[in-house]
Amino acid sequence: MKPSNSRYAVVASPLFRLSLQRFKAFLKGKYSESTALKTVEAIKFRIQTELPDNPQIAPISERLFDLGLTDYRQLLIDEHNLVLYKVNKIESRIELLLVMDSRQSIRKLLFEMNLLV
């Protein structure tokens, strides 16, 4: 078991990077570039300040659990935005899966990103 005072490394998967780009483009198109940049910065800030010291701060994602992916947690960033991630205790890593708007269909998003068939 990992000592509670140890920090976890946060690693963004290629899928997370892609989902962040798509998310940013969505916000820019719907609102403005300024809103998109502020929202992305808020997401990065929450990830960097909360997850390394407390990787289990978020509950297991029911959305992914229902699809058979049982190891992922869902961090609510604000009213509509969330980050899905997995904790690797052995390697002391937090693996970021994707960022999304909570009103999106997780099944559709994963299908679009070629994770579900």
Side-chain angles (χ1 to χ4, degrees):
M1 192 76 165
K2 183 156 187 54
S4 61
N5 61 352
S6 296
R7 289 179 60 88
Y8 280 66
V10 177
V11 179
S13 69
L15 181 62
F16 180 82
R17 293 177 197 280
L18 176 61
S19 72
L20 191 60
Q21 289 174 352
R22 289 181 59 167
F23 181 75
K24 187 176 174 182
F26 165 76
L27 291 176
K28 182 179 175 182
K30 185 165 177 130
Y31 302 105
S32 68
E33 185 168 359
S34 174
T35 298
L37 291 173
K38 286 179 187 174
T39 303
V40 167
E41 286 306 311
I43 290 168
K44 289 179 180 179
F45 180 79
R46 288 279 310 272
I47 289 169
Q48 292 168 352
T49 58
E50 292 183 22
L51 290 183
D53 293 320
N54 194 3
Q56 277 141 10
I57 192 171
I60 295 294
S61 172
E62 288 183 28
R63 291 169 169 222
L64 290 178
F65 192 87
D66 291 344
L67 297 175
L69 301 168
T70 60
D71 295 337
Y72 288 91
R73 296 183 173 274
Q74 180 173 303
L75 178 65
L76 190 61
I77 301 296
D78 56 34
E79 184 180 357
H80 297 295
N81 304 310
L82 55 93
V83 170
L84 298 165
Y85 68 95
K86 182 176 178 178
V87 178
N88 182 328
K89 292 180 183 179
I90 295 170
E91 296 180 17
S92 301
R93 289 173 18 137
I94 295 166
E95 301 162 0
L96 303 175
L97 176 66
L98 58 88
V99 61
M100 64 180 284
D101 185 298
S102 63
R103 298 165 288 189
Q104 287 180 276
S105 162
I106 188 77
R107 183 178 294 277
K108 182 179 177 197
L109 181 62
L110 293 175
F111 180 77
E112 288 172 356
M113 299 184 108
N114 295 316
L115 287 180
L116 289 180
V117 283

